[in-house]
Amino acid sequence: MRLAIMSVAHLHADGYINNLRAVPDVEFLGIADDDLARGQAFAEQHCTRLYESYDALLADKPDGVLVCSENARHLPLVLQAAEAGVHILCEKPLATTVEDCRTMIDACERAGVKLMTAFPMRFSPPVIEAKRVVDSGALGRIYGCNTTNQGSCPKDSRAWFVDKELAGGGAVMDHTVHLTDLLRWYLNSEVVEVFAETNAILYADATDEVETGGLISLLFDNGVFATIDCSWSKPKYYPTWGGLAMEIVGEGGFTTVDAFRQKITVYSHDRGRPVYKPWGSDADQGLINEFVASIREDRVPSITGYDGLKATEVVVAAYRSAETGQVVRLPLE
Amino acid sequence: MRLAIMSVAHLHADGYINNLRAVPDVEFLGIADDDLARGQAFAEQHCTRLYESYDALLADKPDGVLVCSENARHLPLVLQAAEAGVHILCEKPLATTVEDCRTMIDACERAGVKLMTAFPMRFSPPVIEAKRVVDSGALGRIYGCNTTNQGSCPKDSRAWFVDKELAGGGAVMDHTVHLTDLLRWYLNSEVVEVFAETNAILYADATDEVETGGLISLLFDNGVFATIDCSWSKPKYYPTWGGLAMEIVGEGGFTTVDAFRQKITVYSHDRGRPVYKPWGSDADQGLINEFVASIREDRVPSITGYDGLKATEVVVAAYRSAETGQVVRLPLE
């Protein structure tokens, strides 16, 4: 199977290259990027081919592509790949508007290509184990979930993350979709109400465009309440970029999940600060494996474009709620 | 009861003032220091009286004093206080030579005053609990103990700690005596053999006089082996100054003790790095309480000058071993 990457704006592309190269019988063709300097630097660093354009890359007829552009630029790349009849794994959030998500899903359906949303946390062993516990009924009826997906402000390493036009928003856009997806998966239920508070107190100097802190309350159709703290609340000198954790409370008990607990702390003299080094399973590898398997077995991937749309819908509702101070009901419109 | 502090060179004096002020019916008189500027700054910071000299302080007839000078200057202050008939709690190490320890012990005996060595770890709840477990026989016969007392190099905050003449040595002098004392206490046995390796690789720029790393092997009279890692091995940006931990292995099981585990981690923007804030019991308070109680009840304190001498003897033997590459047998001479 021949795979390639369209845009390396999202630095998850770094890890994905290694993941692609680790899959037996997958040939990693190379990358294309509309920022030629960025593409060139990336291609050199990873010893891979740089196509001169997205057209040139698609002309090489890959079986599938990973779309790792800025959030707002997912749409044109997905449409281009779909028209070329190429399967697509798209970075999260699938798009910055629900309309864009719908357009992408429709285009992929018409073209008969797969569209998978990159929610790697579904392949994290502790997250999977907690899903098993919930499904087993050991916790009884689930009452509520308190969840956190925090991080450092990515401004320094990836300036476009704080550019409202390219990213679609700040911490809420960056960090809400993972947990929304996991909660939908755990609860087999859809969000019906969203209430959100956001501000830009943390990293106040990072940007005057986007929020850096957000706390979102969700009500699911089955009556479960959940909160998502999706802030960029880790200081610059924090030992890692962030983390994802959940507390799941049920009638029969509760469990906690810390997806990034498998780590050692290194006091690196070069860095001048403590640094977490993870030693646990690479969830991204599970994501790539599933994308490859869905193409090989010609089946729907375990995470779809629709999952991407539903998570994006919650983000859009959160922004609307933060702006109006009102609870926003889903589905939108 | 009226108590005072002679020299504030050792910054444990900071904490001791609060500990003294916390004991009911103890009147804290003030401090004296041969470095007047240091004494003045300290007195102002702690809103306490600065005596113009040690003589003036002793002329005020305190019941007891805390000696917190540089290690090599304990001897003259202890002799002066003993001659004045004042009970003494002396910072660790009791002295930098076994001869000085002996002179101090003899002088206090002749003067009929108490001499206590400041080994606060004997009052640490986890350390006490582990002593209880060992004494209960739950671990069976003890085979060996691996222990660590590490820290950051104290050069920046207390320059005399890396001055060989004033401190008597480096990391080995600073950090060996606590664990030697605890091991003697746990095992009810004396050290008969010492082997040590030291170097100055860590913090190589801190000093050309003293070692910054040390690993000491001890054989006790009852056959138990123990090691002490007494290095200044924590980097400057480590969240705390250091710690003390033990692993005690017996025929029937083993236990581990981390004396400073009761802490939270604060990511303080002012400091620009993580900082540990302890929330557990203050072992120093136990030390001060015992000193006060031994005076009140006119009895021998639970830790004596002899305990200070035996710990110092191990340090001196460690330096001799590191210098010669040979195992050194105790008692010395």
Side-chain angles (χ1 to χ4, degrees):
Chain A
M1 189 183 309
R2 303 165 75 244
L3 299 174
I5 294 181
M6 293 173 79
S7 176
V8 294
H10 200 300
L11 291 196
H12 280 178
D14 272 341
Y16 290 155
I17 284 205
N18 297 327
N19 297 135
L20 287 167
R21 285 175 167 159
V23 186
D25 302 326
V26 161
E27 184 189 351
F28 174 59
L29 299 177
I31 67 163
D33 201 293
D34 43 86
D35 181 333
L36 268 180
R38 178 171 67 191
Q40 200 141 23
F42 191 91
E44 274 168 28
Q45 192 191 333
H46 292 278
C47 299
T48 191
R49 176 173 174 190
L50 174 66
Y51 289 90
E52 68 193 15
S53 67
Y54 296 125
D55 282 332
L57 183 149
L58 292 170
D60 207 6
K61 302 220 169 292
D63 296 288
V65 289
L66 279 51
V67 171
C68 301
S69 66
E70 299 85 349
N71 300 342
R73 293 177 175 164
H74 288 170
L75 175 65
L77 296 188
V78 167
L79 294 184
Q80 201 176 344
E83 271 170 42
V86 172
H87 301 299
I88 299 152
L89 171 59
C90 183
E91 251 309 333
K92 65 88 210 169
L94 185 59
T96 57
T97 69
V98 177
E99 294 69 30
D100 281 3
C101 292
R102 210 167 276 140
T103 306
M104 289 154 76
I105 292 169
D106 291 348
C108 289
E109 269 183 12
R110 274 199 310 273
V113 300
K114 300 174 199 313
L115 174 60
M116 181 175 183
T117 310
F119 287 139
M121 298 317 296
R122 287 224 208 174
F123 303 94
S124 155
V127 169
I128 291 168
E129 193 55 36
K131 162 78 169 154
R132 268 197 212 111
V133 168
V134 170
D135 285 352
S136 75
L139 304 183
R141 188 185 150 195
I142 302 300
Y143 285 140
C145 306
N146 294 316
T147 71
T148 54
N149 190 358
Q150 301 164 338
S152 301
C153 179
K155 183 195 177 192
D156 292 339
S157 57
R158 291 162 285 176
W160 67 264
F161 267 72
V162 300
D163 179 324
K164 195 168 185 174
E165 204 176 315
L166 289 174
V172 172
M173 182 59 78
D174 188 22
H175 276 165
T176 306
V177 289
H178 286 297
L179 283 164
T180 299
D181 180 65
L182 293 184
L183 290 167
R184 289 180 61 245
W185 187 44
Y186 275 37
L187 301 171
N188 286 313
S189 182
E190 296 294 353
V191 177
V192 291
E193 283 186 13
V194 177
F195 179 71
E197 304 241 29
T198 68
N199 62 42
I201 298 168
L202 300 160
Y203 293 102
D205 56 342
T207 168
D208 52 4
E209 294 189 349
V210 298
E211 79 291 345
T212 53
L215 191 52
I216 301 179
S217 298
L218 303 176
L219 175 62
F220 282 80
D221 192 36
N222 61 1
V224 175
F225 278 100
T227 59
I228 300 178
D229 180 336
C230 52
S231 308
W232 286 332
S233 54
K234 302 300 189 197
K236 282 188 184 182
Y237 50 86
Y238 192 72
T240 189
W241 54 265
L244 182 145
M246 298 185 277
E247 194 176 42
I248 303 164
V249 183
E251 195 171 14
F254 77 99
T255 189
T256 56
V257 185
D258 181 347
F260 294 91
R261 189 146 187 201
Q262 293 175 306
K263 65 190 173 230
I264 58 169
T265 305
V266 179
Y267 296 89
S268 149
H269 294 290
D270 288 344
R271 295 276 198 104
R273 63 178 179 94
V275 176
Y276 291 155
K277 296 278 182 192
W279 51 260
S281 303
D282 177 7
D284 285 351
Q285 188 67 58
L287 178 80
I288 299 296
N289 290 350
E290 168 63 11
F291 179 55
V292 169
S294 74
I295 298 176
R296 243 183 217 143
E297 301 161 16
D298 193 17
R299 59 166 173 79
V300 177
S302 63
I303 306 165
T304 62
Y306 183 73
D307 292 321
L309 179 149
K310 292 306 283 183
T312 298
E313 189 180 37
V314 168
V315 175
V316 172
Y319 282 125
R320 204 171 290 178
S321 172
E323 207 174 305
T324 62
Q326 301 295 313
V327 171
V328 174
R329 289 196 57 82
L330 295 191
L332 293 174
E333 276 105 325
Chain B
M1 188 182 310
R2 302 166 76 245
L3 300 173
I5 294 181
M6 294 174 78
S7 177
V8 294
H10 200 298
L11 292 195
H12 280 177
D14 271 341
Y16 291 154
I17 286 206
N18 297 328
N19 296 134
L20 287 166
R21 286 174 166 158
V23 187
D25 303 325
V26 161
E27 183 189 352
F28 174 59
L29 298 178
I31 66 163
D33 200 295
D34 42 87
D35 181 334
L36 268 179
R38 179 171 67 193
Q40 200 142 23
F42 191 93
E44 274 169 27
Q45 193 192 332
H46 292 278
C47 298
T48 191
R49 176 173 174 191
L50 174 66
Y51 289 90
E52 67 193 16
S53 67
Y54 296 125
D55 282 333
L57 182 149
L58 292 170
D60 208 5
K61 301 222 171 292
D63 296 288
V65 290
L66 279 51
V67 172
C68 301
S69 66
E70 299 86 351
N71 300 342
R73 292 178 176 164
H74 289 171
L75 177 65
L77 297 187
V78 167
L79 294 183
Q80 201 176 346
E83 270 169 42
V86 172
H87 301 298
I88 300 151
L89 170 60
C90 183
E91 251 307 334
K92 64 87 210 169
L94 186 58
T96 57
T97 69
V98 177
E99 294 69 30
D100 281 5
C101 291
R102 208 166 277 140
T103 306
M104 290 154 75
I105 292 170
D106 291 348
C108 290
E109 268 183 12
R110 272 198 310 274
V113 300
K114 300 174 199 312
L115 175 59
M116 182 175 182
T117 309
F119 287 138
M121 298 318 296
R122 287 224 209 173
F123 304 94
S124 155
V127 169
I128 291 169
E129 193 56 36
K131 162 78 169 155
R132 267 197 213 111
V133 169
V134 170
D135 286 351
S136 75
L139 305 182
R141 188 185 150 195
I142 304 298
Y143 285 140
C145 306
N146 294 315
T147 71
T148 53
N149 191 356
Q150 302 164 338
S152 301
C153 180
K155 184 195 177 192
D156 291 340
S157 56
R158 292 162 283 175
W160 67 263
F161 266 71
V162 299
D163 179 324
K164 193 169 188 174
E165 204 175 315
L166 290 173
V172 172
M173 182 61 77
D174 188 24
H175 277 164
T176 306
V177 291
H178 286 297
L179 283 165
T180 298
D181 181 64
L182 293 185
L183 290 168
R184 289 180 61 245
W185 187 45
Y186 275 37
L187 300 170
N188 287 313
S189 182
E190 295 294 354
V191 178
V192 291
E193 284 186 13
V194 177
F195 179 71
E197 305 241 29
T198 68
N199 62 42
I201 298 168
L202 300 160
Y203 292 104
D205 57 342
T207 167
D208 51 6
E209 294 188 350
V210 298
E211 79 290 346
T212 52
L215 192 52
I216 301 179
S217 298
L218 303 176
L219 175 63
F220 281 81
D221 193 35
N222 61 0
V224 175
F225 279 100
T227 58
I228 301 178
D229 181 337
C230 52
S231 309
W232 286 332
S233 55
K234 301 300 191 198
K236 283 188 183 181
Y237 50 87
Y238 192 73
T240 188
W241 53 266
L244 182 145
M246 298 185 277
E247 194 178 42
I248 303 165
V249 183
E251 194 170 13
F254 78 98
T255 189
T256 56
V257 184
D258 181 348
F260 294 92
R261 189 147 187 200
Q262 293 175 308
K263 64 190 175 231
I264 57 168
T265 305
V266 179
Y267 296 90
S268 151
H269 294 292
D270 288 344
R271 297 276 199 103
R273 62 178 178 95
V275 176
Y276 290 155
K277 296 278 183 192
W279 51 261
S281 304
D282 178 6
D284 285 352
Q285 188 66 57
L287 178 80
I288 299 295
N289 290 351
E290 168 63 12
F291 179 56
V292 169
S294 74
I295 298 174
R296 244 181 216 144
E297 301 161 16
D298 192 17
R299 59 167 173 78
V300 176
S302 63
I303 307 165
T304 62
Y306 183 73
D307 292 321
L309 179 148
K310 292 307 283 183
T312 299
E313 190 180 37
V314 168
V315 175
V316 172
Y319 282 125
R320 205 170 291 178
S321 172
E323 207 175 305
T324 62
Q326 302 295 315
V327 170
V328 174
R329 288 197 57 83
L330 297 191
L332 293 173
E333 277 102 324

